[in-house]
Amino acid sequence: MLDRVEPQIQSDAMQQAPDIAVSFRNVEFSIDGKRLLHKLNCEIGKAGKTVIMGPNGAGKSIFLRMIAGLLKPESGEIFIPPNDSEQQRSADISIVFQNPVLLRRSVSANIAYVLKQQGHSKKTIARLVSEALVQAKLEDRAQMPARQLSGGEQQRLAMARALVMGSSILLLDEATANLDPASTFIVEEMVDVASRAGTKIIFITHDVRQAKRVGDDILFLHKGRILAHKPKDAFFKEPGSEEAQAYLDGRVIE
Amino acid sequence: MEEIGNAFLIAFDLLRSRDAALMEIVQLSLWVSIIAVAISCIIGFFIGAALSVYRFPGRKVIVVVINALMGLPPVVLGLIVYLLLSRSGPLGVLGLLYTPTAMIIAQILLITPLVSALCLQVLEEFNREYDEFFRSLRLTSLAKIKTLLWEARFGLLTVGLAGFGRAISEVGAVMIVGGNINHATRIMTTAIALETSKGTLALALALGIILIIFSIAVNAAVMALRSSSKVQVHA
Ligand SMILES: Nc1ncnc2c1ncn2[C@@H]1O[C@H](COP(=O)(O)OP(=O)(O)OP(=O)(O)O)[C@@H](O)[C@H]1O
Ligand SMILES: [Mg+2]
């Protein structure tokens, strides 16, 4: 299923496909006449953690923004089957950006903000905020201005803020790129907890060992094309293209 | 030369003794400008925030008009308000001409474009930074506006101070609609103009000194605000 390049499923049938989180059908995207994504076709399953890999400028962040609905495809379609859990919230997809966008408020106020937008009661907000702070190991920073946190702490806060919304899909754009091993471990642990609670995780990383550690399936992007999408073990054994092999080996090819 | 030196001495004496006539004028000045700025900020922040969030046809035109209004000569604005409020004007029945209310109205019309334009400038920058975050949360425009106004709170305080600085030092418009009537509509700037032309330099100088102190205070407040640790931390 993961390997399928041309999905045959019809759009209305899509709604019934319980195991699909995101499906791209012939999705193309350009900016200023420059084609950045070429006829992408893929299906990302609801289960587990999908890792997106690929060289700088491959189009990974754009791909993620499309899933989040922040960019609209120029042509083609993106299907995200509605989730029918009773936890239906205002935004069912959360995204943590490559550079976290934090509000000019305290750490806890940053988390409380998104919960307030979802219309929770004061009591619920207080409870969820303190739980989230514990999970992100930021309890002792709760009252600090968010922008005074270190880069790693900021990333952890952005992560906690995204998780607390309880979305069914969580998108991470190099969420651990600048983190030390300890912070990376905390973030991976947060990802793991969310995943086990049923959240679909899609994350971008350049860290091959992290991909092996955390990922279930790997989607390899190169120059706006999907060159591979397979289970982790299969991908690392047989990357399937000269480009992917070169990327993994740290070689430059043109 | 001796006369000017003398005037300085009397001026300092007026300041030291908190001369009643002087204080009355200063108080009215502050009262008029503060009310005008407060109302201008309510209107201007709303306009600026709405323009930064909503995209609609004609938005650019409004922005251009606001910027044009910002450059309107105060005397011309005073004249327009005068025509509106004069006995034969459309709002003549209200009997507002030559009252502090007329001066407040003139100042509001004078400062609101400035406050709106500066507010828009501040909020647009914030909106650009937060745009994707807002959209990923599916925020309504109203929620965006509320958030932006709070996030930009320190910048907007500076905008309010800039408005106050403009209001308190303005003379042309308030002179026309207020009439500079003693004990009624005489404020610092109009009093300075009058006393200078009468040759009563001491009172004019005393008022001038206070005005300068106010404008230094406003600038100092802006600078203190910029460098305060609280603002830095949220930069
Ligand atoms: N607003 C834009 N205007 C023009 N080109 C853009 C814009 N945004 C992205 N691009 C181009 O699209 C391509 C893909 O960008 P994207 O950010 O998705 O790369 P990426 O795979 O996330 O890379 P990285 O690993 O460096 O984060 C790049 O070549 C980039 O220059
Ligand atoms: Mg990227």
Side-chain angles (χ1 to χ4, degrees), chain A residues 61 98 173-174:
Chain A
S61 295
Q98 211 162 346
D173 194 344
E174 297 188 40

Side-chain angles (χ1 to χ4, degrees), chain A residues 15 18 22 43 80 88-89 106 110 123 130 155 160 182 187 189 194 231 253:
Chain A
Q15 315 281 323
V22 180
E43 279 173 8
I80 297 171
Q88 192 72 38
R89 299 263 173 79
S106 71
N110 260 275
K123 229 173 112 187
S130 66
Q155 201 57 263
V187 168
E189 210 176 45
I253 55 160

Side-chain angles (χ1 to χ4, degrees), chain B residues 16-232:
Chain B
R16 187 148 18 97
S17 65
R18 299 220 162 69
D19 178 77
L22 182 77
M23 286 302 132
E24 190 189 355
I25 294 170
V26 172
Q27 270 168 19
L28 183 66
S29 287
L30 282 176
W31 170 245
V32 166
S33 295
I34 287 172
I35 300 262
V37 169
I39 295 173
S40 293
C41 282
I42 292 171
I43 303 170
F45 288 173
F46 177 78
I47 294 174
L51 286 173
S52 75
V53 167
Y54 292 105
R55 292 283 175 272
F56 53 91
R59 176 183 171 278
K60 278 239 168 70
V61 177
I62 295 180
V63 174
V64 169
V65 168
I66 287 174
N67 281 303
L69 286 177
M70 217 163 47
L72 199 65
V75 258
V76 174
L77 195 132
L79 177 63
I80 294 168
V81 177
Y82 177 91
L83 293 174
L84 288 174
L85 297 182
S86 69
R87 212 156 290 276
S88 52
L91 300 175
V93 283
L94 300 175
L96 290 176
L97 200 61
Y98 303 136
T99 65
T101 309
M103 296 195 289
I104 290 173
I105 292 172
Q107 288 202 344
I108 289 172
L109 292 176
L110 192 72
I111 319 164
T112 302
L114 175 79
V115 171
S116 311
L118 291 178
C119 173
L120 173 61
Q121 210 178 322
V122 171
L123 293 191
E124 258 185 341
E125 209 166 297
F126 276 78
N127 199 22
R128 217 169 299 129
E129 186 189 340
Y130 290 153
D131 178 57
E132 289 204 315
F133 174 61
F134 284 166
R135 289 202 291 133
S136 76
L137 291 178
R138 315 246 195 293
L139 289 195
T140 62
S141 297
L142 196 64
K144 283 184 199 173
I145 286 176
K146 275 198 217 160
T147 307
L148 285 175
L149 286 175
W150 176 251
E151 289 297 305
R153 56 202 178 276
F154 298 114
L156 294 180
L157 209 52
T158 315
V159 171
L161 285 169
F164 178 77
R166 174 112 199 247
I168 195 97
S169 59
E170 200 283 320
V171 54
V174 284
M175 180 77 102
I176 295 176
V177 302
N180 193 25
I181 301 163
N182 203 3
H183 304 305
T185 59
R186 185 160 300 171
I187 59 168
M188 289 194 281
T189 50
T190 57
I192 291 172
L194 175 73
E195 301 302 332
T196 307
S197 67
K198 281 200 317 196
T200 343
L201 292 184
L203 186 56
L205 265 175
L207 287 165
I209 290 167
I210 294 179
L211 205 50
I212 289 171
I213 290 172
F214 278 151
S215 93
I216 290 174
V218 167
N219 281 301
V222 170
M223 273 164 64
L225 201 63
R226 289 236 172 93
S227 62
S228 95
S229 57
K230 219 172 160 177
V231 178
Q232 295 281 331

